[in-house]
Amino acid sequence: MSHISQIYDIDLKLLRCFCTIVEERSFTAAQAALNLSQSTLSENLKSLEIRLGTRLCRRGPKGFKLFREGEVVYKAAKELFASVEAFKQKASNINQNTVYELSIGIQDGIVENPSARLHDAIRRFSDYYPNVRFRMEVMLGFQLAGRVADGMLHVGIGLVNEHYAQLTYEHLFDEQGFMCCGNRHPLFAVPEEELTMAAIESAAYCSRGHLEYYHPERTRRSDTCGDIGLGIQSQLALILSGRNIGYVLDHTAQPLIASGALRALRPDRVRIVNPITAMMGPAAADFKLARQFVDCLIDVHMELGQSRLLPRPDYATGCGTVVDRDGVFRVLSTAKAPAYAGA
């Protein structure tokens, strides 16, 4: 690998392209994320490899594979970007009137929740800091937590993630979901009085893939391990197809239940309650604007009163996390399975 004596803006651009390719594990997905053509993305990667004097990854018909040199460059690039972001944050604290950009990540399925007051928080924050520009992106939960932990996002809004102990969380509100099936699933036509917990437990279960804590035992059993839906909409499509049952958030499920496309399976017995939080990494915690935005999020959701909190099921959910009475989060080392009583 060649010795680089100076880092230029173009190097940062090439490195960001490379990091996106690695994180997406696919050139096609990286094209969409960066809004670049395949030829431009390939040329950027080739230019970076020439600059560094080594191949970083394999691409082509055999698929994507990151070489050892690529792993080293990816890790170093992430550290570089985190350092640049930390500098920008500290510099912005000098003068609050400086035009600055606040990067916010939101887990999919949250914006449309009736209990979410993100728009109110944005408006309130903007009244205090009109010169700040927002950069917002909706993403999957595991992507969100990783980018907040890496310092690529100032604030994340989503579920607690026990894999990143360095993150801090502030409880905003609760979301609720029910186990559902589509109208083509065999359980859809079973009369309510005949629908047993055993039948629900033995059905193929569509998980959310990464960080699946709701029913980890289902994803390990071949008879109940169904499809994987990375994202709320992907999971919903699989459930509606009739191939699987799975959790659907209440605000998403109700219109579909009313139209006859979906059925909640024993909603009196099977449900989840997830605490939605505002999360920050160690670097962002020292960034005044990030702290102020989180304060705005807390304030507007506190104004909802007790309606923002939902009764807890008899088992731990929400990515293996429970919320204690005093509002302090306690992350479980292992998720608890549902405690079903009776049929």
Side-chain angles (χ1 to χ4, degrees):
M1 191 176 296
S2 64
H3 174 72
I4 298 180
S5 59
Q6 182 68 40
I7 299 292
Y8 300 97
D9 287 345
I10 185 61
D11 294 321
L12 297 178
K13 176 184 175 182
L14 298 177
L15 285 169
R16 289 192 185 279
C17 289
F18 172 65
C19 287
T20 301
I21 295 171
V22 174
E23 290 162 2
E24 297 292 341
R25 305 294 300 177
S26 161
F27 266 71
T28 302
Q31 284 178 241
L34 295 170
N35 194 27
L36 295 175
S37 66
Q38 182 176 2
S39 59
T40 300
L41 192 61
S42 297
E43 186 62 32
N44 286 348
L45 179 59
K46 182 179 179 181
S47 297
L48 180 62
E49 290 178 330
I50 293 174
R51 180 92 167 97
L52 296 174
T54 185
R55 288 196 67 196
L56 301 175
C57 61
R58 181 188 70 194
R59 58 273 197 191
K62 293 185 178 181
F64 176 86
K65 179 181 179 181
L66 188 64
F67 297 147
R68 184 184 64 82
E69 293 83 356
E71 294 176 358
V72 173
V73 171
Y74 174 74
K75 182 179 179 181
K78 298 293 283 186
E79 293 174 352
L80 172 62
F81 294 145
S83 297
V84 171
E85 195 60 44
F87 169 78
K88 289 164 60 180
Q89 293 172 11
K90 291 178 180 179
S92 70
N93 286 336
I94 298 173
N95 182 358
Q96 69 180 41
N97 294 320
T98 301
V99 176
Y100 194 70
E101 186 174 271
L102 191 61
S103 298
I104 310 296
I106 307 171
Q107 188 166 332
D108 63 322
I110 290 179
V111 173
E112 56 268 36
N113 191 311
S115 295
R117 292 293 184 269
L118 307 186
H119 54 288
D120 290 333
I122 293 170
R123 184 166 55 247
R124 185 169 301 186
F125 178 86
S126 298
D127 290 340
Y128 296 132
Y129 303 98
N131 293 328
V132 174
R133 180 178 64 181
F134 283 92
R135 177 183 292 274
M136 288 196 168
E137 181 179 358
V138 174
M139 59 189 69
L140 303 183
F142 71 93
Q143 295 173 324
L144 174 70
R147 293 186 187 181
V148 174
D150 288 342
M152 304 306 294
L153 291 172
H154 299 127
V155 178
I157 302 170
L159 302 181
V160 176
N161 187 325
E162 67 174 345
H163 288 267
Y164 297 95
Q166 68 269 44
L167 300 183
T168 58
Y169 302 91
E170 295 287 352
H171 186 203
L172 301 178
F173 65 94
D174 292 338
E175 68 175 17
Q176 180 172 252
F178 295 99
M179 188 73 79
C180 296
C181 72
N183 57 18
R184 297 183 180 181
H185 193 280
L187 294 180
F188 188 88
V190 177
E192 190 72 18
E193 63 274 11
E194 298 179 17
L195 183 60
T196 65
M197 297 306 301
I200 296 174
E201 290 178 326
S202 62
Y205 171 73
C206 180
S207 76
R208 293 176 67 178
H210 299 73
L211 311 179
E212 170 67 36
Y213 293 93
Y214 302 151
H215 288 293
E217 75 285 354
R218 284 180 178 267
T219 62
R220 290 193 292 264
R221 286 172 47 188
S222 59
D223 58 334
T224 59
C225 181
D227 298 318
I228 297 174
L230 296 180
I232 296 293
Q233 297 302 319
S234 299
Q235 184 191 30
L236 178 61
L238 291 167
I239 295 171
L240 288 171
S241 74
R243 289 173 51 87
N244 314 260
I245 65 173
Y247 283 115
V248 181
L249 296 180
D250 187 32
H251 62 275
T252 301
Q254 290 305 327
L256 295 169
I257 292 174
S259 69
L262 207 63
R263 176 187 178 180
L265 303 172
R266 296 296 297 269
D268 58 322
R269 302 287 300 281
V270 188
R271 67 186 180 94
I272 57 170
V273 173
N274 297 320
I276 300 302
T277 71
M279 64 186 77
M280 288 192 297
D286 296 328
F287 179 33
K288 180 176 62 178
L289 295 178
R291 295 197 311 270
Q292 292 293 337
F293 181 66
V294 170
D295 287 343
C296 289
L297 285 169
I298 295 171
D299 289 345
V300 298
H301 286 94
M302 286 292 290
E303 291 169 5
L304 295 174
Q306 291 301 309
S307 64
R308 71 190 182 96
L309 305 176
L310 298 172
R312 301 287 156 185
D314 294 331
Y315 53 93
T317 61
C319 288
T321 302
V322 294
V323 181
D324 296 330
R325 292 180 182 275
D326 58 1
V328 177
F329 287 94
R330 177 166 59 89
V331 180
L332 304 176
S333 57
T334 56
K336 296 178 182 178
Y340 296 132

